[in-house]
């Protein structure tokens, strides 16, 4: 029990002064002009931001949206961004494949990547003439950090007859050494296409071992992989699925294919972040769980107010380094610019172009759930 302190008659203990908000610290006030600019935006996030918090957030939102116009900048917001970024300042929103396509054709001088570093590199690879900024250089990725270009060169020396597919969640240096990239939206399509092009029944897929195992269960192509994993999705387990079903009878459980295969075996549906969002909007389940990064549920829930979301929360610490404050700062100061050596960029673009050249799918591919997990040979 908390201990109450009797401060005596008149309660002379001074109330601590409230510190300046992030907006106030940057000279931004919630005045009549900001109120007029942002009143129509608040309903988009009213389920996540209280009226008390809004005056501290609205000045940053208004300032960012003004700066974008002044500097001919756009913000690419990944599905894992918090709702204030995703819904209030993001110009293009979606999964890594959707954002990659937008980066290649967007009409802007500056691209701000509201995501992690490999996404910013992908934008720079596809739009080298544009200035690409990432608000925090520490916004990395455990999966991307699990493999290097040197690792891929060794793989190719050992297995020269097999094409190497890299998940887009890798550095430019890794992409430059691979034959083609993929996303979770199109991974099975890419594996089958490159196997046909190389006239082989074996494909090497790096670096996510769980995505590779889940793709292998969907195709007849033999897949070899690398022992990498996403720290967020790796934490989910089949036990989590069973406990969710017990605690919430009738809940529909949707899983991302970066989860371990036993999770997909136990789930009702699996697919990329875009596929998960599509499922909810098309099927309108009464109760649903998204086994992926926390903010994804918030963003999909905002688009589907009639659906009850159960939220087992695994936060990505890297995604959460991107904030309204550092987006504002990066637009004001031009920090931090992402650059790639030209020889690396050209080779990495070749791998991305090979993926982009495949027929565009009408919708992201589903992953069949309920399949027995496969063990794959590791190349590292």
């Amino acid at each position: 029990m908390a201990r109450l302190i009797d401060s005596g008659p008149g309660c002379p203990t001074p109330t601590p002064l409230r510190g300046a908000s992030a907006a106030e610290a940057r000279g931004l006030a919630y005045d009549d002009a900001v109120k007029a600019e942002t009143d129509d935006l608040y309903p988009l996030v009213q389920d996540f931001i209280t009226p008390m918090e809004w005056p501290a957030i609205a000045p940053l939102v208004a300032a960012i949206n003004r700066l974008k116009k002044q500097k001919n900048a756009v913000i690419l917001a990944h599905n894992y961004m918090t709702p204030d970024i995703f819904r209030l300042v993001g110009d293009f929103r979606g999964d890594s494949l959707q954002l990659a396509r937008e980066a290649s054709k967007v009409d802007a001088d500056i691209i701000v990547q509201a995501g992690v570093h490999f996404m910013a590199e992908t934008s720079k690879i596809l739009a080298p003439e544009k200035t690409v900024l990432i608000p925090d250089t520490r916004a990395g990725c455990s999966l991307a950090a699990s493999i290097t270009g040197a690792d891929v060169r060794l793989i190719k020396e050992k297995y020269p007859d097999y094409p190497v597919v890299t998940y887009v969640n890798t550095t430019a240096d890794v992409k430059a050494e691979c034959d083609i990239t993929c996303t979770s939206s199109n991974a099975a399509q890419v594996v089958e296409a490159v196997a046909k092009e190389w006239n082989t029944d074996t494909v090497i897929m790096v670096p996510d071992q769980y995505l590779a195992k889940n793709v292998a269960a969907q195709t007849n192509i033999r897949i070899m992989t690398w022992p990498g994993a996403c720290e967020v999705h790796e934490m989910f387990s089949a036990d989590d699925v069973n406990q969710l079903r017990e605690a919430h009878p009738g809940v529909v459980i949707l899983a991302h294919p970066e989860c371990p295969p036993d999770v997909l075996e136990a789930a009702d549906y699996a697919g990329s972040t875009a596929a998960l969002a599509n499922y909810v909007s098309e099927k309108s389940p009464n109760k649903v769980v998204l086994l992926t990064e926390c903010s994804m549920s918030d963003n999909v829930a905002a688009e589907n107010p009639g659906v009850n979301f159960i939220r087992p929360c695994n936060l990505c610490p890297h995604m959460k380094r991107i904030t309204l404050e550092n987006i504002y700062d990066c637009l004001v100061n031009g920090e931090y610019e992402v650059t790639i050596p030209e020889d690396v960029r050209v080779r990495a673009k070749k791998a991305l172009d090979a993926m982009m050249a495949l027929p565009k799918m009408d919708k992201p591919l589903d992953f069949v759930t309920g399949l027995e997990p496969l063990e794959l040979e590791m190349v590292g």
Side-chain angles (χ1 to χ4, degrees), residues 213-246:
K213 290 175 181 179
N214 291 325
V215 171
Q218 315 292 314
T219 178
N220 292 324
I221 305 300
R222 173 176 173 250
I223 296 178
M224 302 166 71
T225 191
W226 178 263
C230 165
E231 64 186 278
V232 172
H233 294 97
E234 188 176 31
M235 288 191 287
F236 291 110
S237 69
D239 285 343
D240 293 331
V241 176
N242 295 332
Q243 290 174 23
L244 284 164
R245 293 198 193 282
E246 290 177 9

Side-chain angles (χ1 to χ4, degrees), residues 54-77:
W54 182 242
I57 292 169
L60 285 164
V61 172
I64 289 167
N65 287 332
R66 287 190 216 119
L67 283 165
K68 288 189 300 182
K69 293 178 181 177
Q70 293 168 12
K71 300 197 173 189
N72 191 24
V74 295
I75 296 176
L76 305 185

Side-chain angles (χ1 to χ4, degrees), residues 311-328:
R311 292 178 170 89
C313 204
N314 284 348
L315 279 170
C316 174
H318 312 290
M319 288 284 184
K320 294 303 176 272
R321 290 193 182 278
I322 307 302
T323 64
L324 284 177
E325 296 96 301
N326 57 31
I327 289 174
Y328 171 82

Side-chain angles (χ1 to χ4, degrees), residues 190-201:
V190 168
V191 164
E192 291 179 355
V194 77
K196 182 177 180 180
E197 179 185 347
W198 281 58
N199 192 29
T200 179
D201 64 354

Side-chain angles (χ1 to χ4, degrees), residues 6-261:
D6 184 358
S7 60
C11 194
T13 305
T15 301
L17 294 175
R18 180 182 68 84
S21 69
E24 290 168 338
R26 289 161 174 78
L28 305 173
Y30 185 63
D31 54 23
D32 289 343
V34 168
K35 186 176 186 305
E37 286 180 66
T38 59
D39 271 356
D40 62 329
L41 296 177
Y42 180 64
L44 299 176
V45 292
Q46 63 184 356
D47 292 336
F48 312 101
I49 298 172
T50 67
M52 185 180 296
E53 295 171 302
W54 182 242
I57 292 169
L60 285 164
V61 172
I64 289 167
N65 287 332
R66 287 190 216 119
L67 283 165
K68 288 189 300 182
K69 293 178 181 177
Q70 293 168 12
K71 300 197 173 189
N72 191 24
V74 295
I75 296 176
L76 305 185
H78 190 267
N79 287 327
Y80 295 161
M81 289 292 101
T82 51
D84 55 345
I85 295 170
F86 189 80
R87 297 185 62 78
L88 304 182
V89 301
D91 297 290
F92 299 99
R93 298 178 285 271
D95 65 9
S96 51
L97 178 57
Q98 291 167 312
L99 297 184
R101 292 190 185 279
E102 293 299 338
S104 68
K105 63 185 181 183
V106 67
D107 181 18
D109 296 321
I110 298 171
I111 293 173
V112 177
Q113 196 78 42
V116 292
H117 197 270
F118 76 78
M119 297 177 184
E121 283 193 331
T122 301
S123 293
K124 187 64 177 179
I125 291 166
L126 295 173
E129 74 286 0
K130 302 184 190 303
T131 299
V132 177
L133 303 176
I134 187 160
D136 191 324
T137 57
R138 298 171 300 169
C141 171
S142 60
L143 182 57
S146 72
I147 192 168
T148 66
D151 292 326
V152 179
R153 287 192 290 273
L154 289 173
I155 292 169
K156 291 166 71 175
E157 287 177 12
K158 188 173 181 180
Y159 303 99
D161 298 327
Y162 302 147
V164 180
V165 176
T166 180
Y167 196 23
V168 75
N169 300 34
T170 49
T171 64
D173 187 44
V174 168
K175 291 181 178 71
E177 302 297 337
C178 295
D179 299 292
I180 191 170
T181 63
C182 76
T183 71
S184 53
S185 290
N186 64 9
Q189 178 196 30
V190 168
V191 164
E192 291 179 355
V194 77
K196 182 177 180 180
E197 179 185 347
W198 281 58
N199 192 29
T200 179
D201 64 354
T202 301
V203 168
I204 298 170
M205 190 174 181
V206 300
D208 192 321
Q209 60 175 309
Y210 299 130
L211 179 65
K213 290 175 181 179
N214 291 325
V215 171
Q218 315 292 314
T219 178
N220 292 324
I221 305 300
R222 173 176 173 250
I223 296 178
M224 302 166 71
T225 191
W226 178 263
C230 165
E231 64 186 278
V232 172
H233 294 97
E234 188 176 31
M235 288 191 287
F236 291 110
S237 69
D239 285 343
D240 293 331
V241 176
N242 295 332
Q243 290 174 23
L244 284 164
R245 293 198 193 282
E246 290 177 9
H248 305 280
V251 70
V252 176
I253 298 178
L254 315 183
H256 192 281
E258 289 177 23
C259 293

